[in-house]
Amino acid sequence: MEKNILKIGIIGLGTVGSGVVKTLKNFENVEIKAAAVRNLNKKRDVEVQNLTDDPFKIVNDPEIDVVVEVAGGCNPALELITTAIKNKKHIVTANKELLAKFGAQIFDLANENNVSVLYEAAVAGGIPIIGPIKTTLRGNIFSKVAGILNGTTNYILTKMEEKNISYTECLKDAQALGYAEADPTGDVEGYDAMYKIATLANITFHKRIDVNQIYREGITKISADDIKFANELGYKIKLIGLAQKTENDELDIRVHPMLVPVSNMISGINNAMNAVLLEGFPVDKVMFTGPGAGEFPTASSVVGDILQIAGEFNHTDTVLPLHRCPHKEKAKQIDIKHTKNKYYISIKAPNSKGTIGIIGTACGNNNINLSSILQKGIKEDNTAQVIVITEVANEFDIQNAIKELNAQNIEINNLIRVM
Amino acid sequence: MEKNILKIGIIGLGTVGSGVVKTLKNFENVEIKAAAVRNLNKKRDVEVQNLTDDPFKIVNDPEIDVVVEVAGGCNPALELITTAIKNKKHIVTANKELLAKFGAQIFDLANENNVSVLYEAAVAGGIPIIGPIKTTLRGNIFSKVAGILNGTTNYILTKMEEKNISYTECLKDAQALGYAEADPTGDVEGYDAMYKIATLANITFHKRIDVNQIYREGITKISADDIKFANELGYKIKLIGLAQKTENDELDIRVHPMLVPVSNMISGINNAMNAVLLEGFPVDKVMFTGPGAGEFPTASSVVGDILQIAGEFNHTDTVLPLHRCPHKEKAKQIDIKHTKNKYYISIKAPNSKGTIGIIGTACGNNNINLSSILQKGIKEDNTAQVIVITEVANEFDIQNAIKELNAQNIEINNLIRVM
């Protein structure tokens, strides 16, 4: 079986695809056989010999060994990838949405067809994380994986803090600078981070994850005040993807903003950087940081996957177990209301003597102990802004306390969980 | 070739070996066939069936597939490992000294005999770094690898800062707490970090490294004052292992204390934690942090290597290229005197008006620009402590400036390079 050169077909020559073509120039054991693009006439800064606007030509080309899918979205990506797998092609993809929604189906099909599906670039851009979890850290039983998984929102939160500006103003700047898309929903509402934590949870806990059961909250409600108050209290606000085992061996998976203590290294991850923290036995805690997106960092991960397949290509006729996702057991995922957290609560209350008492009583009624309570001055409309940080409490109890406060004309500006 | 269970023999049942035995209990595809120990009668908290005090029985046992060497030192480790390789056994080792001194010989022999030599645990304990460089980051051309590679010295420097105590006092505390050995030379004089940066440079730059050409300086000359002044100027002092490409494609490899700006994440790596930073194209910068030593973190890396071999064991008759170290080219390593750095210089000078002038002149004579100069009060012996931070200068020029100062009765307390 001497087939020295690995032939790849690329679907998508956008930012990531271009980076892959440029990076692969350094490697003689991989040949780009063809690439599929949406618009054949578009000017590009990379040259690929066989360009097509029909991606099915790539997945059906008998000469292509590996299909590199960097176009994104589920349609037609799912059909393309399943067709390619049935045609016995290995897959390298950066498609976090596809993996989160259809990973189980894709991995089953890949196992049946004895091909590899690698996806280092789907999580945290250039940071090596999928590979290390599957190989170097394979001996561990993990209890937690968490991190900053979306560069756009981290950039926005960093700039909101630096410039003391509102989310809306900051988003406009980020869009102008190319850090946020024209329709930023996927990033700012936490969908992107949700897809990534789904994939991380899958390989960390060896369970199938239902992405629809992941609690998700974006950063659009974070105010400049929240960031300022958090800073005063010794925290940074970060959008965190989190998956952790509960005492009952269930999984608590969610994406939402969190107050991160400045003593935690994650609080120091700024701008478009990403970070992933793993906790397990025997390794204890390890953290990986680096660029979470961008042409070249993402290409680093895609090319790493391609070279891994190239390295095994001439030497084994099977897919090595470390590349497989053989686990079929579905995770028991708990609802956010059954989680326990510390909370930051920003409260808008009438400026009257009884307010602090009402807040204290509502918390006490619901088994919530307060760790600190600060009144942040009186506003022009004669309301007081009160910041409460709780001890660990049940989410269920917190939601009830908030209902009690609302019933007494006390509004909640924001509720943010604390790491 | 159905040989489902991988049989391993362990040389050394000390801290790391015990951790490996405990961790492997979770994995059914690996069997510990035998272990070699120095003292058969010593009480241990792990049980291994076939204990021997003759490690050659392990490397010559025809039933053993993988030899796990976690005893350390070069003698008899080199003979044991080369014998095992000739007997077609794969090797997993945590032996940084052996790899730094005899890696070339070992890798050549392994290639000839078609066996894997894996050594994730030899660098930065539980942090996945060897694996990611060889696989996930394989598409990169690196310009730099640097980090905190020794837990003992990082612990001492952290505590010196926290408690404002001298190196000597701190070392005693660290020894009492088990963070430093009775003979701490290997750690505090930088040998351990030197072995690790040699191995990192080897796989990062695909060149053979002569460990004898690596400049090495430990932490024993760092004073509580140095740490205090560095803090005042916005730096932390860390023992850094560094390997970087020069403009002429030579390698600048060294281990010495450095002032690290607090804005650099490496400055926040405290106590016995390690960190490794990689810079290259296309990934840009990635950093890995975690526990640099200890029974379980180190076992995580050893077991990861064992499981990697187990994963490939039934599926390929050859060593996959990603596990090989085929490069035979020797690195061109430059001498420290040909490097360029910023410098922190702590100067003890007579308390006279001309002193600052003499210092300025000596620097000017040698093409050294000063970025800041601080006089830190007059001591009882009527000497002044002067702290100078230079712009980037040639090491050669710095050494000449120091000679000029010494000739004029001005002593140098310490010279520390700045990151």
Side-chain angles (χ1 to χ4, degrees):
Chain A
M1 57 181 203
E2 261 322 309
K3 32 181 185 178
N4 277 306
I5 293 190
L6 188 78
K7 292 201 177 73
I8 70 166
I10 302 180
I11 298 175
L13 277 186
T15 309
V16 177
S18 300
V20 171
V21 173
K22 290 171 198 168
T23 306
L24 276 176
K25 279 187 182 157
N26 299 322
F27 296 91
E28 291 173 355
N29 56 340
V30 178
E31 179 192 326
I32 301 171
K33 173 81 191 337
V37 295
R38 284 221 180 81
N39 178 354
L40 286 172
N41 300 317
K42 192 173 160 187
K43 266 215 144 184
R44 292 163 213 289
D45 65 344
V46 291
E47 226 175 282
V48 173
Q49 280 205 318
N50 303 300
L51 273 194
T52 171
D53 57 4
D54 178 7
F56 284 92
K57 282 201 180 143
I58 303 281
V59 299
N60 287 314
D61 183 335
E63 280 190 31
I64 284 175
D65 305 302
V66 179
V67 169
V68 177
E69 188 272 312
V70 285
C74 291
N75 184 11
L78 179 62
E79 196 186 341
L80 287 167
I81 283 181
T82 52
T83 307
I85 292 173
K86 287 177 195 158
N87 287 332
K88 313 289 181 197
K89 298 184 194 316
H90 300 291
I91 307 293
V92 172
T93 178
N95 196 326
K96 57 218 82 166
E97 184 181 355
L98 184 75
L99 291 169
K101 292 181 177 170
F102 301 102
Q105 175 184 344
I106 291 167
F107 297 134
D108 282 350
L109 194 66
N111 291 339
E112 282 167 30
N113 286 277
N114 199 28
V115 297
S116 292
V117 178
L118 301 189
Y119 46 93
E120 184 62 65
V123 179
I127 303 175
I129 184 67
I130 306 294
I133 293 174
K134 285 188 160 193
T135 59
T136 327
L137 294 167
R138 185 74 160 206
N140 284 273
I141 295 167
F142 289 104
S143 53
K144 182 173 174 180
V145 56
I148 296 173
L149 303 174
N150 179 271
T152 302
T153 47
N154 204 46
Y155 178 85
I156 291 173
L157 291 170
T158 304
K159 293 302 170 197
M160 282 176 71
E161 179 180 322
E162 279 177 16
K163 301 182 178 174
N164 191 28
I165 54 175
S166 73
Y167 164 75
T168 315
E169 193 180 340
C170 197
L171 174 65
K172 273 183 204 151
D173 290 355
Q175 285 171 322
L177 290 165
Y179 281 103
E181 292 180 41
D183 175 1
T185 315
D187 293 314
V188 300
E189 295 294 0
Y191 289 96
D192 177 80
M194 177 183 73
Y195 298 142
K196 290 167 176 170
I197 195 69
T199 289
L200 282 178
N202 173 270
I203 61 165
T204 303
F205 300 110
H206 309 293
K207 295 272 169 68
R208 288 191 168 171
I209 308 301
D210 178 3
V211 71
N212 297 311
Q213 287 183 53
I214 298 177
Y215 179 79
R216 176 192 49 74
E217 210 183 289
I219 63 161
T220 56
K221 288 189 300 182
I222 304 290
S223 70
D225 271 357
D226 290 328
I227 292 178
K228 201 174 63 186
F229 298 149
N231 287 176
E232 283 175 25
L233 293 159
Y235 298 92
K236 303 276 179 178
I237 298 184
K238 298 290 180 189
L239 181 67
I240 300 291
L242 166 69
Q244 59 191 355
K245 253 188 216 163
T246 69
E247 292 157 8
N248 306 320
D249 226 22
E250 296 167 321
L251 287 184
D252 168 13
I253 315 180
R254 36 189 163 130
V255 171
H256 53 60
M258 289 188 106
L259 268 69
V260 183
V262 291
S263 59
N264 186 320
M265 276 183 64
I266 287 185
S267 73
I269 308 298
N270 291 322
N271 296 309
M273 296 278 279
N274 278 196
V276 182
L277 171 78
L278 287 161
E279 291 184 20
F281 178 84
V283 79
D284 199 17
K285 294 180 190 178
V286 283
M287 194 169 102
F288 305 70
T289 63
E295 173 177 9
F296 289 114
T298 311
S300 167
S301 289
V302 172
V303 170
D305 283 347
I306 295 169
L307 295 176
Q308 185 124 337
I309 295 174
E312 292 162 10
F313 189 57
N314 294 316
H315 302 291
T316 167
D317 262 339
T318 187
V319 173
L320 297 177
L322 294 178
H323 296 329
R324 291 185 193 149
C325 280
H327 44 276
K328 302 207 172 204
E329 196 187 341
K330 284 183 185 165
K332 286 178 195 152
Q333 295 170 236
I334 64 167
D335 191 275
I336 185 82
K337 69 172 178 279
H338 297 125
T339 64
K340 287 176 202 284
N341 305 278
K342 290 185 185 180
Y343 297 83
Y344 157 102
I345 314 174
S346 166
I347 298 167
K348 186 181 170 184
N351 177 25
S352 71
K353 279 186 186 165
T355 299
I356 298 281
I358 295 173
I359 294 169
T361 305
C363 288
N365 288 346
N366 290 285
N367 318 302
I368 299 159
N369 291 323
L370 302 186
S371 135
S372 51
I373 182 160
L374 302 172
Q375 182 158 338
K376 302 299 301 181
I378 309 297
K379 296 214 167 182
E380 283 173 14
D381 60 357
N382 203 32
T383 58
Q385 185 144 29
V386 179
I387 303 298
V388 164
I389 304 261
T390 75
E391 299 285 349
V392 173
N394 292 313
E395 175 90 16
F396 184 80
D397 290 328
I398 287 282
Q399 298 298 350
N400 281 338
I402 286 174
K403 276 181 210 154
E404 272 189 49
L405 291 174
N406 287 342
Q408 293 179 76
N409 202 23
I410 293 178
E411 277 176 51
I412 304 301
N413 293 319
N414 212 347
L415 172 92
I416 310 175
R417 295 163 192 89
V418 179
M419 191 175 259
Chain B
M1 58 179 201
E2 260 321 309
K3 33 179 184 179
N4 276 306
I5 294 189
L6 189 78
K7 292 201 177 71
I8 70 166
I10 302 180
I11 299 174
L13 278 185
T15 310
V16 177
S18 301
V20 171
V21 173
K22 291 171 196 165
T23 305
L24 275 176
K25 280 188 181 154
N26 300 321
F27 296 90
E28 291 173 356
N29 57 340
V30 179
E31 180 193 326
I32 301 170
K33 172 82 193 333
V37 295
R38 282 221 182 80
N39 179 355
L40 285 171
N41 299 318
K42 193 175 160 186
K43 266 216 144 182
R44 291 163 215 288
D45 63 346
V46 291
E47 225 175 282
V48 173
Q49 281 204 319
N50 303 300
L51 272 194
T52 170
D53 57 5
D54 178 6
F56 284 92
K57 283 201 179 144
I58 304 281
V59 299
N60 287 313
D61 183 335
E63 281 191 32
I64 285 175
D65 304 301
V66 179
V67 169
V68 177
E69 187 273 312
V70 285
C74 292
N75 184 11
L78 178 62
E79 195 185 343
L80 288 166
I81 283 182
T82 51
T83 307
I85 292 172
K86 287 177 194 158
N87 288 333
K88 312 289 180 195
K89 298 183 194 318
H90 300 291
I91 308 293
V92 172
T93 178
N95 196 327
K96 59 219 80 165
E97 184 182 353
L98 185 73
L99 291 169
K101 291 182 177 170
F102 301 102
Q105 173 185 345
I106 290 168
F107 297 134
D108 281 350
L109 194 65
N111 291 339
E112 281 166 32
N113 286 278
N114 198 28
V115 297
S116 293
V117 177
L118 302 188
Y119 47 93
E120 184 63 64
V123 179
I127 303 175
I129 185 66
I130 306 294
I133 293 174
K134 285 189 161 194
T135 59
T136 329
L137 295 168
R138 186 73 162 204
N140 285 273
I141 295 167
F142 289 104
S143 53
K144 182 175 173 178
V145 56
I148 296 172
L149 303 174
N150 179 271
T152 302
T153 46
N154 204 44
Y155 177 86
I156 292 173
L157 290 171
T158 304
K159 294 301 170 198
M160 281 176 71
E161 179 180 322
E162 279 177 17
K163 302 182 178 173
N164 190 27
I165 54 175
S166 72
Y167 163 76
T168 315
E169 194 179 340
C170 197
L171 172 66
K172 273 183 206 152
D173 290 356
Q175 284 171 321
L177 290 164
Y179 282 101
E181 293 180 39
D183 175 0
T185 314
D187 293 314
V188 301
E189 295 293 359
Y191 289 96
D192 177 79
M194 177 183 74
Y195 298 141
K196 291 167 176 168
I197 196 68
T199 289
L200 282 177
N202 173 271
I203 61 165
T204 304
F205 300 109
H206 308 293
K207 296 271 169 66
R208 288 192 167 169
I209 308 301
D210 177 2
V211 72
N212 297 310
Q213 288 183 53
I214 298 178
Y215 179 80
R216 176 191 49 75
E217 209 183 288
I219 64 161
T220 56
K221 287 189 300 181
I222 304 289
S223 70
D225 271 356
D226 290 327
I227 293 178
K228 201 175 65 189
F229 298 148
N231 288 177
E232 283 175 24
L233 294 160
Y235 298 91
K236 303 277 180 177
I237 297 183
K238 298 290 181 188
L239 182 66
I240 300 292
L242 166 69
Q244 59 192 354
K245 254 188 216 164
T246 68
E247 292 156 8
N248 307 320
D249 226 22
E250 297 167 321
L251 288 183
D252 168 13
I253 315 179
R254 37 189 162 130
V255 171
H256 53 60
M258 288 187 107
L259 268 70
V260 183
V262 291
S263 59
N264 186 319
M265 277 182 64
I266 286 184
S267 73
I269 308 297
N270 291 322
N271 296 310
M273 296 278 279
N274 279 194
V276 182
L277 171 77
L278 286 161
E279 292 183 19
F281 178 84
V283 79
D284 199 18
K285 293 180 191 179
V286 284
M287 195 169 100
F288 305 71
T289 62
E295 173 177 9
F296 289 115
T298 311
S300 168
S301 290
V302 171
V303 170
D305 282 347
I306 295 170
L307 295 176
Q308 184 123 338
I309 294 173
E312 292 161 12
F313 188 56
N314 293 317
H315 302 290
T316 167
D317 262 339
T318 186
V319 173
L320 297 177
L322 293 178
H323 295 330
R324 292 186 192 150
C325 280
H327 43 276
K328 302 205 172 204
E329 196 187 341
K330 284 183 184 166
K332 284 176 198 156
Q333 295 170 237
I334 64 169
D335 191 276
I336 186 81
K337 70 172 177 279
H338 297 124
T339 64
K340 286 174 202 284
N341 305 278
K342 289 185 186 180
Y343 297 83
Y344 156 102
I345 314 174
S346 167
I347 298 167
K348 187 180 170 186
N351 177 27
S352 69
K353 278 186 188 166
T355 299
I356 299 283
I358 295 173
I359 294 169
T361 305
C363 289
N365 288 347
N366 291 285
N367 318 303
I368 300 159
N369 291 323
L370 302 186
S371 136
S372 51
I373 182 160
L374 302 171
Q375 181 159 338
K376 303 298 300 180
I378 309 297
K379 297 214 165 180
E380 283 173 15
D381 60 357
N382 203 32
T383 59
Q385 185 143 29
V386 178
I387 304 298
V388 164
I389 303 262
T390 74
E391 300 285 349
V392 174
N394 293 311
E395 175 90 15
F396 185 79
D397 289 330
I398 288 284
Q399 299 297 351
N400 281 337
I402 287 173
K403 276 179 211 154
E404 272 189 48
L405 290 173
N406 287 341
Q408 293 178 74
N409 202 23
I410 293 178
E411 276 178 50
I412 304 302
N413 292 320
N414 212 347
L415 171 92
I416 310 176
R417 295 164 193 90
V418 179
M419 192 175 258

